[in-house]
């Protein structure tokens, strides 16, 4: 009886899992969610028009765990739309996002709920994320500086943009109240939807609390982030997401440190897409110029930065292209 009473007092955590053609991996992700040591969870599964056997697998799990799983089946509309549908259907006080091929350490949600207890509902919990392919015991760690506490979400953003670091969606645990402030996932974007969404979440958050015990496991498939943006429309959408960064963050703080970080964001875009799509590169350069930051900044690895200092950013890009 004591366990039942304790469970009823625990705030509900909604784990939102959008699924599109992930039949090879989704069972493992569902098992990871169901294996959480935190007792009061619901899984909100949104099948986004899968054409493989994903829906049958989701229906199987829903029939096994009807008290824990809500299943929504819809026509394909993209990950942002599916995630928004999941958020609206969720009942939890906290939201955990999980891609249909990624995994969580069993104590992840419990640790982060405990960390957030007693804090403002606008605090945000994070944890380390690691890369793996098939076996999570063979994960690869990343030496990232974002794996620490930050006094404000703005501080977290500026560090990540300056260092070109990122956070996997599944690393965060957010209150529903904070998500409501940030707004929906942007359904107009086809790439970096999560980066743009969590940019807004972080700008609304009062602080970021790092959980040193938990892990989110990010499955690396054959397609890299750079290869995903090899189409013109994807690159255009990526640049659009960065413009949205600028519009949002300058409304919170318009300062030199913010504009320097934005300059690095646009430089990284040019670095990633060069020499393709000259018109998008020109747009990125124009956006950089309008920031009115004359101070030189350097991006990418130590060798490229050294070369940029010696011959300039654009000449270093040209030389890099020749040597590839």
């Amino acid at each position: 009886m004591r366990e039942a009473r304790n469970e009823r007092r625990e705030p509900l955590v909604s784990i939102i899992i959008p699924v599109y053609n992930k039949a090879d991996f989704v069972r493992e992700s569902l098992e990871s969610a169901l294996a959480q040591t935190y007792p009061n969870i619901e899984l909100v599964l949104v099948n986004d028009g899968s054409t493989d056997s994903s829906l049958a697998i989701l229906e199987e799990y829903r029939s096994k765990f009807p008290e824990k799983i809500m299943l929504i089946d819809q026509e394909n509309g993209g990950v942002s739309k599916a995630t928004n549908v999941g958020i609206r259907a969720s009942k939890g006080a906290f939201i955990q996002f999980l891609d249909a091929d990624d995994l969580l350490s069993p104590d992840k949600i419990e640790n982060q709920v405990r960390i957030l207890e007693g804090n403002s509902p606008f605090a945000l919990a994070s944890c380390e994320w690691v890369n793996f392919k098939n076996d999570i015991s063979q994960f690869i760690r990343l030496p990232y500086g974002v794996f620490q506490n930050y006094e404000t979400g703005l501080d977290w953003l500026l560090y990540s943009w300056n260092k070109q670091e990122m956070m996997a969606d599944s690393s965060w645990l957010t209150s529903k109240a904070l998500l409501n402030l940030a707004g929906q996932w942007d359904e107009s974007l086809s790439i970096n939807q999560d980066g743009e969404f969590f940019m807004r979440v972080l700008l609304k958050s009062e602080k970021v609390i790092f959980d040193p015990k938990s892990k989110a496991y990010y499955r690396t498939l054959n397609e890299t982030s750079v290869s995903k943006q090899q189409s013109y429309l994807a690159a255009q959408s990526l640049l659009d997401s960065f413009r949205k960064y600028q519009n949002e963050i300058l409304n919170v703080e318009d300062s030199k440190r913010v504009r320097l970080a934005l300059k690095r964001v646009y430089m990284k875009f040019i670095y990633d897409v060069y020499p393709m799509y000259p018109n998008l590169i020109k747009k990125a350069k124009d956006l950089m110029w309008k920031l009115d930051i004359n101070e030189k900044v350097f991006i990418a690895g130590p060798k490229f930065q050294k070369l940029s200092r010696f011959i300039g950013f654009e000449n270093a890009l040209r030389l890099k292209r020749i040597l590839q």
Side-chain angles (χ1 to χ4, degrees):
M1 290 299 294
R2 181 177 298 174
E3 288 185 4
R5 286 195 298 270
N6 286 341
E7 183 170 332
R8 283 196 295 271
R9 284 200 297 269
E10 300 280 16
L12 178 66
V13 177
S14 299
I15 306 175
I16 297 174
I17 309 178
V19 183
Y20 177 70
N21 289 353
K22 294 292 185 180
D24 291 342
F25 308 114
V26 71
R27 285 184 184 276
E28 195 174 2
S29 295
L30 294 174
E31 292 291 343
S32 171
L34 291 166
Q36 290 297 301
T37 58
Y38 187 77
N40 198 16
I41 62 170
E42 67 167 1
L43 277 61
V44 183
L45 313 180
V46 184
N47 180 58
D48 190 36
S50 296
T51 56
D52 64 2
S53 59
S54 292
L55 179 57
I57 295 170
L58 300 181
E59 288 174 335
E60 173 193 333
Y61 274 82
R62 193 258 309 268
S63 67
K64 286 181 181 177
F65 304 97
E67 75 288 353
K68 283 191 176 293
I69 293 180
M70 178 193 313
L71 174 57
I72 300 167
D73 183 28
Q74 65 177 33
E75 293 182 1
N76 180 255
V79 65
S80 293
K81 183 175 182 179
T83 304
N84 286 333
V85 167
I87 293 171
R88 288 194 292 269
S90 65
K91 301 181 181 71
F94 292 96
I95 301 294
Q96 168 70 58
F97 295 107
L98 181 62
D99 288 350
D101 51 7
D102 294 344
L103 308 173
L104 304 173
S105 61
D107 58 352
K108 195 269 187 186
I109 290 177
E110 182 168 12
N111 289 340
Q112 292 188 329
V113 169
R114 303 295 171 237
I115 280 175
L116 292 175
E117 283 178 345
N119 278 285
S120 160
F122 307 116
L124 182 61
S126 70
C127 72
E128 179 184 17
W129 65 276
V130 296
N131 287 319
F132 81 106
K133 286 190 176 180
N134 297 305
D135 184 352
I136 62 170
S137 68
Q138 298 178 9
F139 63 81
I140 299 172
R141 304 185 87 154
L142 302 164
Y144 276 2
V146 289
F147 299 152
Q148 60 179 301
N149 294 332
Y150 284 84
E151 289 297 317
T152 69
L154 175 62
D155 290 336
W156 189 99
L157 280 171
L158 295 181
Y159 184 94
S160 69
W161 293 351
N162 284 323
K163 300 295 184 181
Q164 286 99 56
E165 296 182 4
M166 58 165 281
M167 189 71 86
D169 306 355
S170 49
S171 296
W172 304 108
L173 185 71
T174 66
S175 70
K176 190 76 167 286
L178 180 54
L179 293 195
N180 288 339
L181 274 184
Q184 297 191 103
W185 285 53
D186 190 328
E187 296 178 15
S188 71
L189 297 175
S190 62
I191 194 169
N192 197 37
Q193 308 97 321
D194 52 346
E196 192 276 337
F197 173 74
F198 274 103
M199 173 270 299
R200 286 182 277 116
V201 173
L202 283 153
L203 288 178
K204 297 294 185 182
S205 67
E206 293 183 357
K207 60 181 171 179
V208 179
I209 308 173
F210 180 70
D211 161 19
K213 297 179 180 179
S214 306
K215 284 185 177 61
Y217 297 90
Y218 181 86
R219 192 184 299 268
T220 55
L221 304 174
N222 292 330
E223 193 175 25
T224 66
S225 60
V226 172
S227 69
K228 287 178 185 176
Q229 63 195 46
Q230 295 305 306
S231 78
Y232 179 85
L233 289 178
Q236 185 179 48
S237 182
L238 183 63
L239 185 57
D240 286 344
S241 75
F242 295 156
R243 279 192 287 212
K244 291 173 188 288
Y245 284 4
Q246 178 174 334
N247 292 339
E248 293 286 341
I249 199 168
L250 290 181
N251 283 328
V252 174
E253 179 182 306
D254 189 348
S255 65
K256 183 178 180 180
R257 68 169 187 155
V258 168
R259 288 173 178 261
L260 279 168
L262 286 167
K263 184 175 182 178
R264 288 188 173 93
V265 168
Y266 290 128
M267 288 179 71
K268 182 64 164 56
F269 173 82
I270 295 169
Y271 177 91
D272 284 342
V273 305
Y274 183 88
M276 300 179 296
Y277 319 130
N279 65 320
L280 294 181
I281 290 174
K282 182 180 183 303
K283 286 181 181 180
K285 288 180 179 178
D286 289 343
L287 288 164
M288 267 198 310
W289 180 79
K290 289 176 182 177
L291 289 171
D292 196 26
I293 293 292
N294 296 320
E295 183 176 332
K296 290 184 177 180
V297 297
F298 302 94
I299 63 161
K303 289 182 179 179
F304 186 83
Q305 289 193 28
K306 185 176 181 179
L307 190 61
S308 296
R309 291 175 191 275
F310 184 62
I311 64 174
F313 176 64
E314 292 193 35
N315 287 330
L317 278 177
R318 295 187 187 100
L319 183 58
K320 176 176 176 287
R321 176 64 176 173
I322 293 169
L323 296 177
Q324 280 181 337

